């Protein structure tokens, strides 16, 4: 069965080619956060691979890493790396589980995956404003922002991909702009504008954009007379399975009573007859 093509890869690559280096603050934020996580891991990684849509940026941050494009087939050799970073691109993947499976295959046993990408709360303010504006002006809706996974659903992706000790967490990055037009302009500069296959190919009617800007300002203006925008950054952490990893104990296999470990006296429950 063919995988649904939610993302138009040609449009995505075109958008990324027009990105401006000084606008890549999302990549900067993600790289800083990943480096902090790596500093907390008591391990030296000697063979790093990074899947990304912005190779120049990530090569500058990790000059010794193997950099590959986030194509549907990742150009990674099996069990060649002890660390894989999937950097800020899973939200554009037509097959996110496939991307994670390929990342696991590229890891040596007990190798680490850190996958960071935009989550479902990203730009909820803009989505709401555009939807209300388009419905009011045209009476309908069109796809404008890529569907992004919710944190409650994403932890299971790592398990489906075969990772051990899976963890999913999120971080909200709050940014402010003068108005919605400045936000939309910034999205183009960072290469994150609309690349959906089902997007409308013609230019959005100006009446829709003006109305969306008005709705945005009415509902999401802050105390500084600017509008807020949310970027949710989700990070998935998982380890390639290995026989040397600690395994959870089987239920009922404990050798020490909990009361003894806590230094308390165990009091049996009184059971009354029904």
């Amino acid at each position: 069965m063919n995988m649904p093509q939610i993302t138009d890869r040609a449009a995505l690559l075109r958008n990324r080619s027009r990105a401006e280096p000084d606008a890549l603050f999302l990549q900067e934020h993600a790289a800083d956060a990943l480096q902090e996580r790596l500093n907390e891991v008591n391990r030296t990684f000697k063979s790093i691979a990074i899947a990304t849509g912005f190779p120049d940026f990530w090569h500058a941050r990790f000059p010794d890493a193997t950099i590959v494009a986030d194509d549907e087939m990742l150009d990674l050799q099996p069990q060649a790396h002890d660390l894989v970073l999937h950097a800020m691109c899973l939200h554009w993947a037509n097959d996110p589980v496939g991307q994670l499976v390929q990342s696991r295959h590229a890891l040596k046993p007990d190798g680490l995956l850190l996958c960071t990408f935009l989550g479902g709360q990203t730009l909820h303010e803009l989505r709401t404003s555009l939807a209300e504006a388009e419905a009011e002006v045209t009476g309908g809706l069109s796809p404008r922002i890529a569907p992004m996974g919710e944190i409650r659903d994403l932890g299971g992706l790592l398990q489906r991909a075969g990772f051990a000790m899976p963890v999913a967490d999120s971080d909200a990055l709050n940014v402010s702009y003068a108005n919605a037009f400045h936000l939309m302009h910034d999205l183009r500069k960072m290469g994150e504008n609309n690349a959906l296959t089902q997007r409308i190919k013609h230019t959005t009617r100006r009446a829709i954009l003006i109305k969306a800007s008005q709705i945005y300002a009415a509902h999401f203006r802050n105390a500084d007379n600017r509008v807020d925008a949310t970027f949710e950054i989700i990070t998935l952490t998982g380890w390639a399975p290995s026989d040397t990893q600690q395994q959870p104990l089987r239920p009922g296999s404990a050798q020490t009573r909990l009361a003894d470990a806590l230094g308390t006296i165990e009091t049996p429950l009184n059971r009354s007859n029904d």
Side-chain angles (χ1 to χ4, degrees):
M1 183 176 64
N2 292 330
M3 182 65 59
Q5 298 299 297
I6 298 173
T7 296
D8 179 345
R9 287 289 299 178
L12 178 62
L13 295 177
R14 185 168 58 250
N15 292 346
R16 287 172 172 174
S17 70
R18 297 169 179 168
E20 301 178 15
D22 63 350
L24 300 182
F25 70 89
L26 287 179
Q27 307 292 324
E28 291 276 2
H29 179 83
D32 291 343
L34 289 179
Q35 188 61 65
E36 287 183 12
R37 290 172 184 263
L38 291 174
N39 291 340
E40 295 173 356
V41 177
N42 186 25
R43 182 176 300 189
T44 299
F45 296 99
K46 299 179 180 179
S47 180
I48 304 172
I50 304 176
T52 176
F54 295 90
D56 292 341
F57 171 86
W58 286 92
H59 176 71
R61 296 296 295 260
F62 294 87
D64 297 327
T66 297
I67 310 291
V68 301
D70 61 321
D71 296 328
E72 293 191 13
M73 295 300 297
L74 299 178
D75 187 17
L76 295 173
Q77 298 301 310
Q79 297 192 11
H81 303 281
D82 53 11
L83 173 65
V84 171
L85 305 179
H86 201 288
M88 290 299 289
C89 47
L90 194 71
H91 54 282
W92 288 116
N94 287 311
D95 181 12
V97 175
Q99 292 284 300
L100 296 177
V101 169
Q102 293 179 70
S103 298
R104 178 175 60 80
H105 288 164
L107 285 168
K108 300 175 182 179
D110 204 32
L112 174 64
L113 168 75
L114 289 174
C115 175
T116 185
F117 55 99
L118 295 177
Q121 294 305 305
T122 296
L123 300 177
H124 66 87
E125 305 94 342
L126 181 60
R127 297 184 201 208
T128 299
S129 301
L130 282 171
E132 289 187 18
E134 188 169 22
E136 182 172 331
V137 174
T138 70
L141 292 175
S142 58
R144 296 187 179 277
I145 299 178
M148 301 170 188
E150 299 291 342
I151 184 66
R152 63 179 179 271
D153 304 320
L154 290 167
L157 294 184
L158 287 169
Q159 291 180 311
R160 289 174 58 189
F163 282 95
M165 297 177 284
V167 177
D169 57 72
S170 68
D171 170 41
L173 177 62
N174 298 309
V175 186
S176 68
Y177 290 89
N179 53 53
F181 286 105
H182 283 220
L183 166 59
M184 290 184 279
H185 181 65
D186 218 17
L187 290 174
R188 287 192 293 271
K189 289 175 62 178
M190 66 178 76
E192 293 289 345
N193 46 316
N194 196 345
L196 296 175
T197 299
Q198 297 299 321
R199 72 193 185 282
I200 292 178
K201 305 302 191 293
H202 59 74
T203 303
T204 300
R205 291 169 55 179
R206 183 165 179 79
I208 295 175
L209 296 179
I210 292 175
K211 187 62 180 179
S213 182
Q214 293 170 347
I215 294 171
Y216 205 128
H219 293 288
F220 303 107
R221 189 183 300 277
N222 59 33
D224 297 322
N225 203 32
R226 294 167 63 84
V227 296
D228 292 321
T230 301
F231 294 92
E232 183 186 25
I233 312 295
I234 290 179
T235 302
L236 304 181
T237 305
W239 296 84
S242 168
D243 293 338
T244 63
Q245 289 170 343
Q246 289 186 329
Q247 302 295 323
L249 294 174
R250 290 181 292 103
S253 64
Q255 301 297 312
T256 304
R257 295 165 61 246
L258 180 60
D260 294 339
L262 297 177
T264 62
I265 299 175
E266 184 177 19
T267 303
L269 292 175
N270 293 323
R271 295 177 178 272
S272 58
N273 294 328
D274 294 334

